[in-house]
Amino acid sequence: RLRGKGVGFRTESDTEVVLEAWRQWGPAALSKFRGMFAFALYDEHTGALILARDPLGIKPMYVMPRGSGILFASELKALVTVVGPELSINADALVASTLFYFLPEEQCAVEGIFKLPPGSWSEWRADGSSRAGRYWDPAEEAAAAAAGPAADLPAVLEEAVAAHMVADVPVASFLSGGLDSSLITALAADREPSIEAYTITFRPEDQRLEAMPDDAVYARKMAANLGIRLHEIEISPNVVDLLPRVVD
């Protein structure tokens, strides 16, 4: 689409496409992107910093207003490393974590830090002003889908898998043996019969402690049915030694 508007590209990088798309359409470019992303873009001409996050919020983006500016990172630990002594625990988030075993999207574990909402962007300027917008809303998308013609689900899945197999490096499948990963692996193998799959296994003594059955059994069956190579990675951690890293 950009080439049709006369844009020339010097690389095959998707990063260059993001830059040229933003130059062409501004925030409207976000609704044209596909996939998961979180990025920051700095405009030297206007002095504006733009932060953006993918529609479903698969990639995180943490923001911390500080003085006349902001700190931002895709991982909370990066902010903790820089300003750790300044930070304190968000008590509401602690309660939510205890109740739900996860943090709701609108909560952050650290006081004063927030997550850029999924499907949104924000712009921050050197004078302290800011603005924000939302380019994708799941409720609106669901309502539009319900009002329109029924989607051809097999065709949608096949096209999505095909799009994800476009890469600069070899693509493999993470095959857990469940329905979702089995379906995706089957569609991928249909397009690329030489694709390989990976699965996680546990030692028998550890498996006895698991509430769920051994998924590797189903991963092996699926791989054999598809005629693809399955790599099994056995996890045998010493939990006591790992505990400090797990807490971190």
Side-chain angles (χ1 to χ4, degrees), residues 112-130:
I113 297 178
F114 67 90
K115 288 174 272 191
L116 191 69
S120 75
W121 59 273
S122 64
E123 181 184 273
W124 304 78
R125 293 181 175 270
D127 61 7
S129 63
S130 64

Side-chain angles (χ1 to χ4, degrees), residues 35-90:
M36 53 184 180
F37 59 84
F39 66 80
L41 188 154
Y42 178 66
D43 188 330
E44 288 185 329
H45 298 293
T46 65
L49 171 72
I50 296 100
L51 306 179
R53 192 175 175 198
D54 64 73
L56 293 172
I58 301 172
K59 292 292 186 181
M61 175 68 83
Y62 293 95
V63 183
M64 179 183 178
R66 186 168 183 258
S68 60
I70 61 166
L71 300 173
F72 65 93
S74 60
E75 192 174 11
L76 195 55
K77 281 186 284 189
L79 300 181
V80 173
T81 299
V82 174
V83 291
E86 298 179 21
L87 304 178
S88 60
I89 294 295
N90 179 347

Side-chain angles (χ1 to χ4, degrees), residues 108-171:
C108 182
V110 179
E111 194 73 48
I113 297 178
F114 67 90
K115 288 174 272 191
L116 191 69
S120 75
W121 59 273
S122 64
E123 181 184 273
W124 304 78
R125 293 181 175 270
D127 61 7
S129 63
S130 64
R131 63 185 182 122
R134 188 156 196 169
Y135 65 91
W136 197 91
D137 182 87
E140 293 178 2
E141 293 292 325
D152 182 353
L153 186 57
V156 170
L157 288 172
E158 289 171 10
E159 203 270 334
V161 171
H164 279 78
M165 292 180 72
V166 176
D168 298 328
V169 294
V171 175

